[in-house]
Every structure is written in C-alpha cells, then in structure tokens.
C-alpha cells in the first residue's frame, strides 16, 4: 500500500550503487587503493571506514562483498572509481540504471547514503532494486552472512586478512530484529532513514515454500519502533491487514513542505523560466473537466440564503 509514496531513505539508496557496481565492474579485476580514494571516502556525510590502506590491492569481487555487508565509504570510493572514474559519473550511471530498470521515482544525487536534498525513491523501486540484486550469485549467497573474511595484498606483497562483519547485525539497538511469522525463517534486515522521511526497513524471510519474501516499509516516524512495524507488515502473510499509521507532516522550510506535498523537487518559475504549458487550446482541453460545486445564493435585499450550485472548469 502507498508503494509509490516518495521517501528519502538515505542508506537504502546504496543498494542501487551496489547493483550498479555489480553490473559495471569486472569481479576479477585487482584494484590498488589510492590516496584520492581514501580522501573521497572521508568526505562522506557520515564516514564509515573498513580500514583499507593506501597501496593495498584487493579484487573487485572482494570490494563488492565488503560493501554489501558494511557499505563502508572507503570501499564505496574504490568501487566508484573502478566503475565510473569519478563520483559524478558514478551518480550518472546510477540514474541511468534507474531508468533502465524503469524506476519511476528514484533520483540519485550522491553515491553515499547520506541524505541529499532532491534525492528520493519509493518502496516499489526498492523492491525492484533488491529483486535485481538477487539475480547475482554474489549477493544471494552472501547478503545474509554475519561474517566473512577477505584477503588484501599490502604494498610489501604480504597478505592481510580483514574480518568483515555484517553491519546490520550490530544495529539491533537502533532498528530491532523483527519476529517473523511461524513457519518463516528470518534471513536479513536492511535499514536506513533520515529526518525528513523517517525510517525505512526491508526484512527478508524464507517461507515454507522456500520462496524469499520481502517486507518493505518506508516513511515510518522515528518515534515508532520500526521493527514492530515490520512485524505487523509481515503478518499480512498470515491474513492480517497492515493499516497505515498517522503520517508525520513536516512543518519545516518551504522546500521541505513543497517536496512533501507534491512529491517532487522544488522548482521556481520566473518570467525567464516559465512553467510548462499546453501548445494549444485543443491540447489543454484534454486535461480540463467540468465540476459542479454547491454554493449559497444570497439575496442582497433580504439577507436570505438559498442553496444552489455552479459549474466551473478546472485543470
């Protein structure tokens, strides 16, 4: 329900980055970590680093694996360089992929998971992204693991082992771990959110039929327990109904209200930047309809009101 409601799910946008990297980078390629990559990582809104060092050499496959489980910024910066060369081009590739997947409401402004004004998606688009990720064995075989180890070759030629822990497993105090319906097996939880749109959460379960089911929530107010809401959503599989909860309306600045009400980025029209219109009357007429509105007619002499109606045309 409301699967196309716009949301700024922040970290959840990184799943599109992972999918883009899987499609545009060669898994067997060896990547040498540079100072520029590490500097780029530190410029993230909330930097998370796994510990890659300058002149380390690591395969793209291992980078993908590390990013899948941690979404670390030093790994992200390395992948962005490999798949596109620059941050700007990586963002372009992500938006191109969103178009190829026919994601109607996903627009990316940055590769990291921090909130950026004008960056948005919706619950259905998140479903499509995750469904596409499952077509890659690297994802389907590893996304639910709690720990993996990868090998990194150091500048002196010796190998170093990095223990990669699934970051979601350590976020239980923030996002909880939902109880899944009887007969289903909990596989993984993916969470994110920002102050503008609240919390988002995806819960993946395996059903009695060995099929994988996704419970996807977006726009959950911060004062609610998102894990409890996920449990309520998952019980839909048992025949319950998930009722919408009251939506928190943002009373911030004009741009925040505009984005909330219209679901689009703010656009300012001026004399030199006019709003799009219709080419001619015939084209405009297709979008017009006549409605009947109840009105009162007031007698100026007696002050008596009588009920009536008026017809008007609207866009």
């Amino acid at each position: 329900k409301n699967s196309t409601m716009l949301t700024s799910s922040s970290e959840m946008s990184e799943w599109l980055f992972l999918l883009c990297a899987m499609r545009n980078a060669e898994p067997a390629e060896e990547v040498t970590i540079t100072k520029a990559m590490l500097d780029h990582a530190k410029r993230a809104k909330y930097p998370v680093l796994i510990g890659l060092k300058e002149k380390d050499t690591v395969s793209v496959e291992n980078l993908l694996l590390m990013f899948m489980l941690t979404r670390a910024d030093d790994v992200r910066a390395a992948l962005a360089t490999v798949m596109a060369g620059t941050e700007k081009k990586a963002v372009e590739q992500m938006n191109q992929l969103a178009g190829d997947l026919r994601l109607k409401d996903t627009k990316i402004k940055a590769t990291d998971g921090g909130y950026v004004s004008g960056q948005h998606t919706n619950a259905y688009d998140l479903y499509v992204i995750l469904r596409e990720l499952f077509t890659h064995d690297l994802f389907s075989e590893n996304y639910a693991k709690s720990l993996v180890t990868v090998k990194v070759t150091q500048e002196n030629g010796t190998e170093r082992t990095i223990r990669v822990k699934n970051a979601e497993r350590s976020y239980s105090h923030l996002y909880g771990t939902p109880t899944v319906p009887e007969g289903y097996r909990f596989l993984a939880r993916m969470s994110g959110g920002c102050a503008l749109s609240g919390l988002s959460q995806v819960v993946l379960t395996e059903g009695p039929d060995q099929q994988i089911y996704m419970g996807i929530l977006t726009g959950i107010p911060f004062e609610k327990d998102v894990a409890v809401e996920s449990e309520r959503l998952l019980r839909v599989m048992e025949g319950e109904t998930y009722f919408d909860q009251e939506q928190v309306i943002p009373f911030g600045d004009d741009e925040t209200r505009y984005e909330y009400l219209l679901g689009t980025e703010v656009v300012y029209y001026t004399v030199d930047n006019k709003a799009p219109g219709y080419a001619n009357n015939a084209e405009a007429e297709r979008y017009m309809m006549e409605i009947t509105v109840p009105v009162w007619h007031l007698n100026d002499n007696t002050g008596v009101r009588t009920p009536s109606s008026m017809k008007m045309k609207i866009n």
Side-chain angles (χ1 to χ4, degrees), residues 139-156:
F139 182 84
S140 60
E141 293 171 3
N142 293 285
Y143 77 96
K145 290 182 177 178
S146 58
L147 175 71
V148 298
T149 58
V150 299
K151 299 289 186 181
V152 173
T153 302
Q154 301 177 102
E155 182 182 5
N156 62 10

Side-chain angles (χ1 to χ4, degrees), residues 59-103:
S59 69
V60 167
E61 182 173 352
N62 278 338
L63 288 171
L64 291 169
L65 187 57
M66 288 190 283
F67 188 79
M68 183 193 315
L69 297 182
T70 68
R71 289 179 270 179
D73 291 297
D74 45 358
V75 180
R76 174 185 58 82
L79 284 171
T81 301
V82 171
M83 77 186 206
T86 66
E87 167 83 1
K88 182 179 179 181
K89 289 183 178 179
V91 169
E92 290 174 357
Q93 285 188 6
M94 291 172 70
N95 285 311
Q96 177 62 52
L97 178 55
D100 294 343
L101 296 174
R102 299 185 180 181
L103 306 183

